[in-house]
Amino acid sequence: MARSVTLMVTALLVRFGSAVAQQAGSDLAYEPELPPDLNSPHGSLWPLPQNVQISPELYRLSEVQFRIVHSPQSTASVGCSILDNAFRRYFNYIFSSSAKTDQRGSGINGASSRSTEELRQLQVTITATDPECNQHPRISSNEAYEISVMQPVAILKSESVWGALRGLETFSQLVYEDEYNTHLVNKTEIVDAPRFAHRGVLLDTSRHYLPVKVILETLEAMSFNKFNVFHWHIVDDPSFPYQSITFPKLSAQGAYHPVTHIYTLTDVQIIIEYARERGIRVIPEFDTPGHTQSWKGQNNLLTPCYNGEKLSGMFGPINPVLNTTYDFVNQLIKEISWVFPDAYIHLGGDEVNFECWKSNPSITQFMQKQGFGSDYRKLESFYIQNVLDIVTANLKGYMVWQEVFDNAAKIKPDTIVEVWMASNMKAELSKVTLAGFTTILAAPWYLDYIKYGQDWQKYYQVEPLNFNGTAAQKKLVIGGEACLWGEYVDATNLASRLWPRASAVSERLWSSEETKDLNDAYKRLSKHRCRMVRRGIPAEPLFVGYCDYEYKG
């Protein structure tokens, strides 16, 4: 009875909020009416699996009896630390963080939890000869998995550990508690795999320094949403917090504070390993030649700006005409390639301001000598081309912002081009893929832009492949990223601004193209948000309502 009253009150509040929004005019966002039944037939699954069948039959789980174990048929046995740690982690989530709400309605078909059979084990089977226990995830990692929940043993099967990690998250989302605090799970069959291979979150640690703890919490939340790439925009104009082994003066002079606001080698290794254990790649971005005002710790790297014939005392982008520039870049790239194990580095290449280059007489002379005339895009491409050759020599792949492609730099066939300009997004996707380049989409998912109301809906309704192109072109779009730039974000508000808004992006990148029912998404996302809150993530609310376990800090 209490639950029925709660649902009625919630429904009335939703309707009241809609009426107020309508009467107040365009200053308030209109919130669509929601049905009084806030239960989805898919429970609180997020992102929604590709194929899922949930039956009314219920099984009990006992914290004393239930275990997550390797199956006898698995090629990954005890000693596969990435799975052993995940087993312990998800056991704790299941029994301390399961949703205290019935996912399929109270007592399906009159079933009572007191009369159900007990589920004793979740057996995890890895089928590949090499389960990849000691490796890092790659762009080609297989994250597919299958789950069969039947009494007395549930089965989770995947080719590698990466699929098993995604399946463990899904299984944890299937478990819930009834009014007697009994842990329950429905008989379920799931066959699942991500729609897109690259599902990223970008964090900016230059405009505001983010403590290591906050980054680790974000990685944990990313795993709850099946993201698999941490795009670490680690340095930019405001600060250089990365403590280079080769060039320690970069952080000593470029960080907000040379001791408290830096990422040491140990910090970086902790973050990479924490991400690996959750199936998340760490791709660092060292954006050049622009966005480098904090790189002042390296002498003669930035371009001196002139006011007429005199030095102005200001500096512009990296100086592309000096041989010492490329010696420096070569050494830095070697270090980055050693520190960060992923096959890719993000090289930036966006928003280069040419005014300082134009003012510098040495650069003007170089332009004439090279036959560039007054087209400074050619000078930018000259720099980018040299950097790309350096990265290639260090056996790394690279990602770039779309300007590198737009300015006709000679990029490798396996270059990943990131499309970020919303104004020409569809046309850009068509051009980049027509040229044969792998592409990821960021333009519609800049989460630093906020507005009143449920803006998660606009992120959710994006279709990444909605552009003019052949089937072959659309196969080149391998995913996208939710980007949280840091002008107004630090440790105090990162989690609430990121979640659950980024969750909308996660379902768009994981689930099928047909998964787009906003009402069903609202029901599941509301519960998923409460689950994140119970797991320690202060995700902001979608709309009016409450969680059984509110965030306590």
Side-chain angles (χ1 to χ4, degrees), residues 466-487:
N466 184 20
F467 64 93
N468 291 327
T470 64
Q473 282 178 255
K474 295 186 178 185
K475 283 184 178 179
L476 291 171
V477 180
I478 60 167
E481 294 186 341
C483 301
L484 191 60
W485 297 99
E487 287 88 348

Side-chain angles (χ1 to χ4, degrees), residues 78-94:
V78 177
C80 180
S81 63
I82 195 170
L83 284 185
D84 294 338
N85 292 339
F87 291 175
R88 288 189 288 270
R89 190 164 67 247
Y90 277 102
F91 182 90
N92 290 331
Y93 282 141
I94 288 168

Side-chain angles (χ1 to χ4, degrees), residues 183-195:
H183 288 82
L184 300 170
V185 64
N186 289 78
K187 179 180 179 180
T188 305
E189 297 289 335
I190 290 176
V191 178
D192 197 16
R195 182 184 176 199

